[in-house]
Amino acid sequence: MKRINVTKTFLPPIEEYEHYLRRIWETGQLTNQGPLLQEFEEKTKDYLGVGNFHFVTNGTLALQLALQALDITEGEVITTPFSYVATVSAILWQRCKPVFVDIDSDSLCIDVQKIEAAITSKTKAIMPVHVFGRPCDVEAIELLAKKHGLKVIYDSAHAFGVEYNGKSIMSYGDISVCSFHATKLFHTIEGGSLITEDKVVSDKIELLKRFGHNGDDHRMLGINAKASEFQAAMGLCNLEYVDTIIDERKRLSTLYSESLGSALFRPQLREHATYNYAYYPVVFDSEDKLLDVAKRLNANNIFPRRYFYPSLNTLPYLDDDYDCPVSEDIAVRVLCLPLYSGLEDSVVHKICEVIKQ
Ligand SMILES: *Cc1c(COP(=O)(O)O)cnc(C)c1O
């Protein structure tokens, strides 16, 4: 049996990518806000129905740019311990201190009830994650941010295409960041984006992402976060397929759910939210059970992933100790099952069979 990983990158028909490659060869422009990048930004902005959209070279840089664009270069940033390490890396790289607030055991997103107790005079921002594409309690977070004068940056790396209250989840917060990495639901090989409804912030991001200057006019400290025409070309191809990809993932997720029944806990989706089926996480009763199932699946050449493990508050290079019992407990018991368009039904059945055994 061939190796089955947790995900498999979607590749569009090669002729369609070639069509865009020919356009690159015609213009001779490979990067620097070329025509394909502009077309991709325009189309994705329309697809999501958001105000300002910046395509950059990866999601991690997008998180750093978001902090920089909101002048957050010191102080504390409240975040979740249950995420991919890049959420915390971006905060640390900006010379800020991450302050971990534990997660809610239903949604696995940051527990809004516990945020206020973590706010100090040094707190500058909140960086929650719509984990596995399930929206955070955005209303409660907005109220807290207003009350305490804090900025909100959402790490929406998993949330492409998700809507909440009839609009893109990425239109919430001061800035919302997405990742278009090859392992994500929608990808541009490597890539990421910043979305903001604030024109002033958007103009600043525009400068920051290309060295902070406009011609000979050097305005601010910038960095190089520009995406290339090749990345934009992949995005333009994949945008045509994203709805089909989501439908197929939905079908496979339903298959998992029907087969697993109520055997295992799965995180909950808020009301008034649509879902993109970005991941299929299951939570076991104990780490031993998880390891046992993983071992049996590996023996069948099936490789689920321990997303997200370990809980980020336990990273060895942090200055402070944080107690996040819920996140630490879930992190050792959660496993993401293989999910991608092209995954065969028989493999889903096999996985469920092994788990139920
Ligand atoms: C993938 C991911 C990132 C980083 O995105 P890259 O494009 O790989 O840099 C950030 N946050 C979360 C939650 C992610 O899953």
Side-chain angles (χ1 to χ4, degrees), residues 280-291:
Y280 198 91
V282 291
V283 183
F284 291 86
D285 295 345
S286 68
E287 184 174 21
D288 284 347
K289 276 194 189 158
L290 176 149
L291 293 173

Side-chain angles (χ1 to χ4, degrees), residues 58-60 63 83-84 86-87 129 155 157-158 179-181 184 191 308:
N58 65 60
T60 309
L63 285 169
S83 181
Y84 181 58
T87 313
V129 179
D155 181 339
H158 308 161
S179 165
F180 305 145
H181 184 257
K184 303 296 203 279
F308 289 100

Side-chain angles (χ1 to χ4, degrees), residues 212-243:
H213 72 99
N214 205 345
D216 291 338
D217 182 17
H218 287 260
R219 305 265 303 280
M220 59 185 74
L221 172 68
I223 198 155
N224 181 3
K226 290 178 277 95
S228 75
E229 291 290 275
F230 294 82
Q231 289 166 287
M234 186 59 83
L236 283 164
C237 290
N238 289 345
L239 204 52
E240 300 294 324
Y241 290 94
V242 70
D243 289 336

Side-chain angles (χ1 to χ4, degrees), residues 166-183:
K167 59 176 184 174
S168 170
I169 190 65
M170 290 194 255
S171 57
Y172 291 85
D174 291 284
I175 299 177
S176 189
V177 164
C178 198
S179 165
F180 305 145
H181 184 257
T183 54

Side-chain angles (χ1 to χ4, degrees), residues 279-312:
Y279 296 87
Y280 198 91
V282 291
V283 183
F284 291 86
D285 295 345
S286 68
E287 184 174 21
D288 284 347
K289 276 194 189 158
L290 176 149
L291 293 173
D292 187 39
V293 166
K295 207 170 96 189
R296 284 162 198 259
L297 289 174
N298 292 170
N300 284 285
N301 225 7
I302 298 168
F303 294 85
R305 274 293 293 269
R306 298 187 78 180
Y307 289 145
F308 289 100
Y309 173 84
S311 187
L312 298 175

